[in-house]
Amino acid sequence: MNELQMIAEMLDENPSERTVAEGRERLRGAVSGGRAPAGRRRRFGMPRWPLGLGLAGAAAAVAVAVAVSGTTPPDPAPQTPARDLSARTVLLAAAEKATTTPDAKGTYWRVKTLTALPVTVGPKDNRYTMERLRIREHWTTRQGREWVGDRLAGARPRTPADEAAWRKDGSPTRWDLGVGDTVDRQRIRLHTAPRPGTLIDAGSTRGFSIGERWLTFEQVQSLPTDPRALRAALTPTRLRDDKENPDRANPVPPEAQAIYAAQSLTALLAQVPAPPKVRAAAFRALADMPEARSLGRVKDPQGRTGVGIVITNSYQGATTTTRLIVDPATSSVLSSNITAGRDGARIDKEMATVYLEVGWTDTRPQPPSLP
């Protein structure tokens, strides 16, 4: 039984005795030597938050923040070699699956996502948090023309405690959040019921975004298929952050480069039409990161089962954590969650995305439907 077959079967509620036995044997090997069986191995400040928003978008990151109740698994107990091996095994299994997946055909590259913005509402003596659900859908041709769909999908209490407080407040269905900080100074209203969707023809765009880089379809197809070369291609070593001297590029320290690498590789896997060998290289690059560890079997906000992978990087007292839920049987990224904060466990910013549909399609762009 190869790595992919084992992981796929272990995702079942009742794995076979053979799977359990093989998993136990590999665990013993990890504890004793830290190696998989022979033949199974493959070989400045914090970055702008989140990667790709730029310095001007740092303050606006809260506007796309999400913390879906019950979807971010707690960090496991102290890291062990077995957990390291499990994370590496999962990522390498996903790489193997990506390699064998044929190039899909279609007219539009479609990425449909769900985010949830936490909003605190209610009277002073009974405050609670509602999640404002939003669906975004991007349709992009190989020539770079893009359509953007948008739909507010309603609001729901964030936790059971929030739901109790909401019911105590009379279960309201709408809230007036006041005037927003946008140029038009429009009032922001929150509704529990979904709103109609819209579709905008964005015309010609810069292509596909990976972190702070924009690539054409041809450039995406020609990305390196070697894990180290791919990581290097997606990780900046110098950034232009000096407003007084815009041509001066400041070096990016190795610790910060590791954060850029984790987020760029995640973006490539989750939302870019990279060819199979490039996707495989991205999974292998993540597997080579010593910071990666497994959270075991988890479910995303849509109830889909996958394996949680967490990558934690620290730099100058700040910690950035990238969490993925990966389906190793399909090499799909089901969701991603990025948090940044200081002072240990405190979270200052949080951004997560649930990937509802990603891939090529011939269906013409249209306003987003509800999940």
Side-chain angles (χ1 to χ4, degrees), residues 67-74 131 156 158-160 298-301 325:
V68 182
S69 174
T71 62
T72 303
E131 290 180 334
R156 65 189 178 194
R158 184 178 185 184
T159 68
V298 295
K299 290 188 176 182
D300 78 346
I325 299 181

Side-chain angles (χ1 to χ4, degrees), residues 78-91:
Q79 188 172 336
T80 66
R83 287 190 183 274
D84 285 342
L85 178 64
S86 177
R88 181 174 177 81
T89 298
V90 169
L91 292 168

Side-chain angles (χ1 to χ4, degrees), residues 239-313:
L239 289 176
R240 292 178 173 83
D241 273 343
D242 193 331
K243 293 182 179 180
E244 296 181 359
N245 300 282
D247 293 332
R248 178 183 299 170
N250 298 318
V252 180
E255 298 87 347
Q257 289 183 33
I259 300 175
Y260 276 105
Q263 296 182 23
S264 293
L265 290 166
T266 298
L268 182 149
L269 288 168
Q271 58 197 36
V272 174
K277 290 184 179 180
V278 174
R279 285 179 53 80
F283 276 118
R284 290 175 181 136
L286 288 175
D288 287 339
M289 291 185 174
E291 305 89 353
R293 63 184 188 277
S294 173
L295 297 176
R297 186 175 65 178
V298 295
K299 290 188 176 182
D300 78 346
Q302 296 303 106
R304 300 172 298 182
T305 301
V307 177
I309 301 295
V310 60
I311 302 172
T312 302
N313 304 96

